[in-house]
Amino acid sequence: MGASLSRHRFAWLVTASVAAFAVLGSGAVALGAATAPSPVAATPTATPTPTPTETTPPPRPVSTVEQTASPLRTCSVAWLLDDGRFGKLQAQVLTADGQLLFERDPATASQTASSMKVLTAAAALNVLGPDFRATTRVVAGAEPGTIVLVGGGDLTLTRLPSGQEPVYTGAAHLDDLAGKAKAEWESRFPGTPITRIVLDSSYFGGKTWGDTWPPTERGTGWLSHITALQVDADRADPRVFLSQRGDDPVGRAGAAFAQYFGGVSVEQGTAPPGAAELASVSSQPLSTLIPQFLIPSDNSLAEMVARHVAIALGAGNTIDALATAIPEALRVYGIDTSALRIADGSGMSRNNAVAPSYLTALFVKIHAREGNLGILRDGLPVAGESGTLNYSNRFFGDNAVARGHVRAKSGSISSAYTLTGMIDAADGSTLIFAIFATGNVGASARTAIDTLTTAFYRCGGNLSNN
């Protein structure tokens, strides 16, 4: 190939040039094809889409009040809540200033048992005032030689001689009333003997026994017939709290009064209008009566006070009048009373219905001594120290640690056991609480309630709602 190239140099140059030109030409054609513009089809002119106007959202309101994080509370009582002794459990716990710590179905109105007495006391302090006293009078009768013993709704009046104290310390004495009446009679009607006594119990009206009150409560000494005239709340023994009650409290009072006048006739009736008063005696003030019915849970005395509330409000003088009178009297405290159902003043009726949350709201005010409510606060039983919370079946064993630290009103009827009030907790905080155990319950519910209360005491302000 080299020899050929030497012999024919010119021919090879021509051939190479031709080849190079062919290659270069092909590349140019290809390059031109690659860069030439493609044909574009004609399209109609589109209407331009308007550009949306950009808006700035209004600024979010920011509170000027400094927000404080809620504390993380870690003390749980959940392990106690499934105790079958509770039946149906309802409960609520608040701080002293009303902040919620714990609750289980607190808004359902349920049977109260004797926790109802807290409402009765609060109603009475508003309507009657702490200085209210119930008065028993003797007036001249319509016929010569007749006097009328007029009951004014003082069930504490005692037939014990002056100088002897009954269950109701400081009560008025029947012998004092009789002595005053005899002296005034002799002054007004000298030489005219008293030969007849009329007993007037008309200040209270209607039925004397609640529809659902068990009759056995008279035999066990927990409740008397509610009449405006009676002595020692109709106890067989005026010095024994749980002394048997009778079936005729007016007759018992009349017989006790008549003994100071010799052989006179005694009958029931009413005083003539405008009769001249011969003598009177009065009960202790309401400020004394309230602890006398709260601490030992005196049903008769609570019913007496409730009836006076109804009379003072013009609602009537019967037990049925309490349904409207007690809620009306409680409205002053600013707590919604629309769900209250009131059947009596003592809580003995299973027809009462109050929500635990109502009681805790009221106890916030009681603890703060709002109005005259400090009297109620000071008149409550204290665990291990007084009244129904000092019985051997309350706050014993492991629960004894809470003795002296729980100030509350207990309640017990066959279908409801309750406890509501205040706890001075172990950490120094004050708790407001209510516990209801209703439905299929028995006396052992008291211990379950005390155990839960003691757990609240131990947790204090660290009580968790979980």
Side-chain angles (χ1 to χ4, degrees):
M1 186 175 179
S4 174
L5 180 59
S6 297
R7 289 192 302 268
H8 306 287
R9 182 181 303 270
F10 180 78
W12 279 103
L13 288 173
V14 173
T15 303
S17 297
V18 173
F21 178 82
V23 170
L24 292 174
S26 300
V29 172
L31 180 61
T35 58
S38 301
V40 177
T43 57
T45 303
T47 303
T49 303
T51 304
T53 304
E54 189 171 322
T55 58
T56 303
R60 294 171 61 188
V62 178
S63 173
T64 58
V65 179
E66 183 178 351
Q67 301 296 316
T68 304
S70 298
L72 179 63
R73 297 184 172 95
T74 59
C75 188
S76 174
V77 297
W79 57 284
L80 295 173
L81 305 182
D82 292 332
D83 191 329
R85 293 175 295 179
F86 283 125
K88 177 187 177 183
L89 171 65
Q90 295 175 261
Q92 187 175 65
V93 183
L94 308 177
T95 62
D97 59 358
Q99 297 180 51
L100 177 66
L101 294 178
F102 175 90
E103 63 179 6
R104 294 295 184 274
D105 189 21
T108 300
S110 301
Q111 297 177 42
T112 64
S114 284
S115 291
M116 176 60 67
K117 293 181 176 69
V118 173
L119 276 67
T120 298
L125 285 167
N126 171 42
V127 173
L128 304 175
D131 298 326
F132 167 82
R133 297 172 186 259
T135 300
T136 307
R137 301 179 301 130
V138 176
V139 301
E143 294 82 20
T146 300
I147 60 174
V148 185
L149 176 61
V150 183
D154 178 14
L155 280 66
T156 70
L157 178 68
T158 183
R159 64 188 186 276
L160 288 178
S162 295
Q164 296 183 28
E165 288 293 344
V167 165
Y168 305 115
T169 303
H173 287 260
L174 199 61
D175 64 350
D176 182 31
L177 179 62
K180 290 177 178 178
K182 287 175 69 174
E184 184 64 21
W185 176 271
E186 290 169 3
S187 173
R188 294 193 185 199
F189 310 104
T192 303
I194 296 173
T195 58
R196 179 169 170 260
I197 296 174
V198 175
L199 308 176
D200 184 347
S201 189
S202 62
Y203 193 65
F204 291 171
K207 57 199 174 203
T208 63
W209 194 257
D211 291 338
T212 65
W213 294 351
T216 53
E217 298 301 319
R218 294 197 299 275
T220 55
W222 279 108
L223 184 60
S224 66
H225 282 280
I226 306 304
T227 57
L229 175 62
Q230 59 184 274
V231 289
D232 304 298
D234 201 36
R235 288 176 172 85
D237 186 338
R239 293 159 294 192
V240 177
F241 180 75
L242 290 180
S243 180
Q244 186 175 16
R245 316 301 174 93
D247 291 322
D248 182 15
V250 176
R252 192 197 296 271
F257 187 67
Q259 67 179 331
Y260 299 105
F261 297 90
V264 297
S265 65
V266 179
E267 62 187 71
Q268 296 192 26
T270 56
E277 182 176 301
L278 302 174
S280 67
V281 292
S282 296
S283 71
Q284 293 278 74
L286 181 66
S287 57
T288 298
L289 298 178
I290 282 177
Q292 285 186 339
F293 75 71
L294 287 179
I295 292 175
S297 205
D298 191 305
N299 296 301
S300 297
L301 193 48
E303 294 298 335
M304 161 192 152
V305 170
R307 203 70 65 91
H308 281 289
V309 171
I311 292 170
L313 287 175
N317 66 352
T318 69
I319 190 172
D320 294 332
L322 303 183
T324 56
I326 298 300
E328 180 180 346
L330 292 170
R331 288 193 187 101
V332 70
Y333 299 113
I335 309 169
D336 183 14
T337 61
S338 61
L340 299 181
R341 190 167 74 242
I342 309 299
D344 64 21
S346 64
M348 284 295 298
S349 174
R350 62 176 180 267
N351 291 333
N352 291 304
V354 178
S357 58
Y358 183 89
L359 280 160
T360 54
L362 182 58
F363 264 107
V364 167
K365 297 175 180 292
I366 292 169
H367 175 68
R369 299 180 178 275
E370 184 174 310
N372 292 314
L373 292 177
I375 294 169
L376 198 165
R377 185 189 191 282
D378 296 337
L380 291 165
V382 177
E385 294 183 5
S386 59
T388 55
L389 295 186
N390 194 31
Y391 291 170
S392 60
N393 63 353
R394 302 309 302 255
F395 290 95
F396 61 89
D398 291 342
N399 295 333
V401 68
R403 290 188 173 190
H405 302 289
V406 178
R407 183 181 294 272
K409 184 69 197 78
S410 63
S412 58
I413 57 177
S414 62
S415 52
Y417 290 80
T418 61
L419 188 65
T420 181
M422 297 155 289
I423 302 170
D424 293 325
D427 64 357
S429 64
T430 297
L431 307 181
I432 308 298
F433 79 104
I435 303 173
F436 283 23
T438 59
N440 185 19
V441 289
S444 62
R446 292 190 186 99
T447 303
I449 288 173
D450 292 351
T451 301
L452 185 55
T453 303
T454 302
F456 293 157
Y457 162 78
R458 289 190 170 106
C459 286
N462 192 34
L463 176 63
S464 167
N465 200 24
N466 295 324

